[in-house]
Amino acid sequence: MPGSQPLVRAETVHKRFGLLPVLKGITMEVERGEVMVIIGPSGSGKSTFLRCINHLEKIDAGRIWVDGVLVGYREANGRIHELREREVAARRAEIGMVFQRFNLFPHMTALENVTSAPVWVKGMRRDEAGALARELLETVGLGDKLRAYPSQLSGGQQQRVAIARALAMDPKLMLFDEPTSALDPELVGDVLDVMKDLARQGMTMVVVTHEMGFAREVGDKLAFMDGGVVVEHGPPRDVLGAPRHERTRSFLSKVL
């Protein structure tokens, strides 16, 4: 029953691209209100796993549940059946995702970017969606940029619009795929501050990041991935401060 189990549960998830295995049996749980931080070198499968959580990538084996509901599939009479795209989209609407690149509509203002999904996907009245968008843009520090187009905004401002757009769908889960990696260093802090506020408000989050300070300060759990497996996991301060595995120590020696 939803509410009585972890919000996210992955069991022995496998994913390959052609002959290349990218995920080799990922098992992970994220409780409600927790921030799970995933770190690791490029090519370790972090982003692929994140995309599997909302079925942007189809898994080849294993299971993923969000809020007790199987992601991308239904089970009937002991067999697994893939959902229709419309059903997948309806469930995906409950999961917010913020990418490395901001993916804003360039022909829409910040306000229009945040307003569009609640109107078109959830059927919200445009005036109601507009009021929500204004409130969210104010929350992420962009109340004075409602009429600005993406080309008139810095990278950090665009990413904050992207976060507001995801929040406008009232998601039960937020996924962040290296949200600061495309930003100039001086713009990173504003985006991380918004994410810290979300964590304080109890939003369940899975964050792929290279920002170790954020991981240590905000994360409830940390998983280090390499070669498509979770090498080590635990409280961030433990993993970052006293890693048990040589591969984790080697990676952290290069990034800390």
Side-chain angles (χ1 to χ4, degrees):
M1 230 180 114
S4 61
Q5 68 245 313
L7 187 67
V8 181
R9 182 159 65 98
E11 278 188 5
T12 57
V13 172
H14 290 258
K15 172 67 181 177
R16 63 173 59 241
F17 293 114
L19 297 176
L20 177 68
V22 179
L23 301 177
K24 305 173 186 175
I26 301 294
T27 294
M28 188 179 293
E29 291 187 350
V30 184
E31 303 292 337
R32 294 164 197 280
E34 276 190 337
V35 178
M36 167 66 80
V37 178
I38 304 176
I39 65 171
S42 297
S44 59
K46 310 181 302 295
S47 295
T48 297
F49 176 64
L50 209 64
R51 292 169 66 86
C52 288
I53 293 176
N54 66 358
H55 206 59
L56 285 174
E57 297 287 355
K58 299 176 184 179
I59 63 177
D60 296 311
R63 302 281 190 276
I64 301 176
W65 292 265
V66 173
D67 205 13
V69 178
L70 200 59
V71 171
Y73 302 89
R74 60 183 172 83
E75 195 164 357
N77 301 320
R79 299 186 65 183
I80 292 293
H81 305 272
E82 188 169 0
L83 297 177
R84 296 184 181 91
E85 184 53 41
R86 180 180 295 181
E87 296 172 291
V88 171
R91 294 185 181 180
R92 191 180 288 142
E94 300 180 332
I95 303 173
M97 186 159 186
V98 178
F99 301 87
Q100 297 177 37
R101 296 291 174 179
F102 326 118
N103 295 341
L104 299 178
F105 296 115
H107 62 289
M108 292 184 178
T109 63
L111 183 65
E112 290 166 342
N113 263 285
V114 179
T115 302
S116 58
V119 171
W120 292 108
V121 178
K122 299 184 77 172
M124 189 180 290
R125 289 201 337 252
R126 187 166 290 278
D127 60 339
E128 186 181 347
L132 173 63
R134 286 183 177 86
E135 180 183 331
L136 288 170
L137 286 167
E138 189 73 47
T139 297
V140 299
L142 294 174
D144 60 339
K145 300 292 185 181
L146 303 183
R147 306 298 175 189
Y149 289 90
S151 61
Q152 299 170 314
L153 299 172
S154 71
Q157 290 170 334
Q158 290 183 62
Q159 193 61 293
R160 283 184 280 155
V161 174
I163 293 172
R165 180 178 61 181
L167 292 173
M169 294 296 288
D170 191 25
K172 59 182 67 175
L173 170 67
M174 284 286 286
L175 308 176
F176 291 88
D177 185 11
E178 299 191 28
T180 60
S181 65
L183 302 180
D184 292 334
E186 67 269 21
L187 303 177
V188 167
D190 290 339
V191 173
L192 293 180
D193 285 343
V194 171
M195 294 170 65
K196 290 173 186 177
D197 285 341
L198 286 178
R200 281 192 285 268
Q201 293 163 24
M203 174 63 74
T204 309
M205 298 159 60
V206 183
V207 183
V208 171
T209 186
H210 293 295
E211 299 291 339
M212 299 302 159
F214 174 87
R216 183 182 284 108
E217 179 184 348
V218 182
D220 296 297
K221 295 176 181 173
L222 183 144
F224 169 65
M225 286 181 62
D226 188 34
V229 301
V230 175
V231 176
E232 184 167 353
H233 64 89
R237 292 179 184 274
D238 293 353
V239 177
L240 297 176
R244 301 187 305 274
H245 293 266
E246 175 56 37
R247 182 65 189 95
T248 316
R249 288 194 289 271
S250 174
F251 173 77
L252 291 175
S253 72
K254 296 177 175 66
V255 299
L256 288 179

